[in-house]
Amino acid sequence: MLMTACDLGAVTRPWKISKQVAELVTSEFFEQGDRERSELKLTPAAIFDRNRKDELPALQLEWIDGICKPLYQALLKLNRKLQPMLDGIEANREKWQELCLSRERTHRASVSSLFPEPGQNTEPSDDAKTSESLERPEKDRPVKNNIMGSKFDCTDDRGCRANKESSDDKVVRSKASQGKK
């Protein structure tokens, strides 16, 4: 466990360092994914797929929640002096969460401009935009978007997480794309 904790230690470092290491590791993963795609004719997993690089914040949240945080929580039980490492993980997780939410807001805005509700004015006034932003705090708004076969749910206190798309979602997305043609 200690060897693994040392290997994953960048996730405990200050944000600037942690983010830089995550981006460096991701660029190596992309190179591997490029080779999988070109040489083996495979579709790489999301973390290795350069075409899905915009999903990095959500993937980092999964990585932190599923691997890093449990490891350091277990080590903390052995030695309470490791608390600053867990605190670093929490601080970095919050930054990835902010990036995930920002990405979701941007994506939601672009999707809603492409697929307005029936009967909805496609060019909302500035007052309408302001009214929408003041109506409910962002944290209270549900955020679910279909992105490359996954839903990202950022309303959960654990953060963005990718969920497999249901068959109902596929039907809705299929109908939406047919209406676009």
Side-chain angles (χ1 to χ4, degrees), residues 40-133:
L40 302 174
K41 308 298 185 220
L42 297 173
T43 300
I47 194 72
F48 296 98
D49 193 345
R50 186 179 307 277
N51 299 330
R52 297 174 72 176
K53 65 182 173 215
D54 57 333
E55 295 177 32
L56 180 62
L59 294 168
Q60 283 298 121
L61 289 170
E62 288 180 18
W63 165 250
I64 289 170
D65 291 343
I67 304 294
C68 301
K69 197 171 171 183
L71 171 67
Y72 284 94
Q73 286 172 331
L75 288 174
L76 188 62
K77 290 178 184 177
L78 297 174
N79 188 339
R80 300 298 299 168
K81 291 181 182 179
L82 298 176
Q83 183 64 50
M85 296 180 98
L86 194 58
D87 294 342
I89 290 172
E90 286 296 331
N92 289 326
R93 190 195 182 290
E94 287 177 23
K95 294 287 190 176
W96 287 114
Q97 177 73 27
E98 289 171 17
L99 289 174
C100 185
L101 290 170
S102 173
R103 180 186 176 282
E104 287 300 317
R105 283 191 294 270
T106 301
H107 180 74
R108 185 177 57 227
S110 66
V111 168
S112 66
S113 68
L114 292 173
F115 301 103
E117 294 293 321
Q120 176 184 344
N121 181 0
T122 57
E123 307 229 359
S125 68
D126 288 337
D127 291 340
K129 292 175 190 171
T130 304
S131 156
E132 164 66 11
S133 66

Side-chain angles (χ1 to χ4, degrees), residues 146 149 164-176:
N146 288 321
K164 201 65 185 154
E165 180 178 26
S166 72
S167 59
D168 290 341
D169 293 331
K170 289 178 185 175
V171 170
V172 168
R173 198 174 73 205
S174 173
K175 287 180 181 177

Side-chain angles (χ1 to χ4, degrees), residues 34-42:
D34 293 344
R35 285 191 310 272
E36 288 177 8
R37 180 174 276 119
S38 66
E39 295 170 17
L40 302 174
K41 308 298 185 220
L42 297 173

